[in-house]
Amino acid sequence: QVQLVQSGGGLVQSGGSLRLSCQLSGRTLEGYSIGWFRQAPGKEREEVSCLSRDSNQPYSIESVKGRFTVSRDNGKNMMYLQMNSLQPEDSAVYYCNADLSQYGEYWGQGTQVTVSS
């Protein structure tokens, strides 16, 4: 059974940092695209940062550039989102995502990030 299990998140003050982690089981993460999404109340889910399967160049949306960093450890089948200088507008439920091509697309269970002002 393939699944992504998230950890991390929580409550942090404005300007603080958090790291989200996600572990894939049942398949190897190496060679596939990964990404982090978030959804705030009343808003659409948006992709925050991603790392394509054939590039080591991460992509992030403008609002988090320079603050969020997506990374992966293929040996541990792990993916991470390091979030620095967090702002109240970053508050949302965050989801990890792995696109395993013909093996399917998988989502983590979601984790709440709340940034207090």
Side-chain angles (χ1 to χ4, degrees):
Q1 181 181 1
V2 179
Q3 59 178 350
L4 276 171
V5 178
Q6 287 183 231
S7 59
L11 174 64
V12 66
Q13 288 188 333
S14 181
S17 298
L18 285 172
R19 188 175 84 155
L20 306 182
S21 302
C22 213
Q23 179 155 37
L24 179 70
S25 61
R27 280 283 174 191
T28 179
L29 198 56
E30 187 173 6
Y32 298 108
S33 300
I34 60 172
W36 289 91
F37 292 69
R38 69 185 179 187
Q39 187 167 20
K43 294 188 177 182
E44 296 286 322
R45 185 177 296 190
E46 64 174 349
E47 185 171 39
V48 176
S49 297
C50 64
L51 194 58
S52 66
R53 63 178 182 176
D54 54 2
S55 171
N56 285 323
Q57 188 67 34
Y59 166 81
S60 293
I61 58 174
E62 196 62 35
S63 61
V64 307
K65 275 183 181 178
R67 300 189 298 122
F68 289 14
T69 303
V70 57
S71 63
R72 65 199 301 163
D73 185 334
N74 289 330
K76 295 181 178 179
N77 249 17
M78 295 287 296
M79 55 190 290
Y80 306 98
L81 184 67
Q82 178 66 44
M83 305 183 292
N84 300 326
S85 302
L86 282 160
Q87 301 300 317
E89 53 266 33
D90 295 317
S91 296
V93 177
Y94 283 71
Y95 299 88
C96 57
N97 173 276
D99 183 355
L100 305 187
S101 190
Q102 70 267 36
Y103 301 110
E105 184 176 14
Y106 296 89
W107 293 87
Q109 76 274 23
T111 186
Q112 179 70 46
V113 171
T114 303
V115 185
S116 62
S117 58

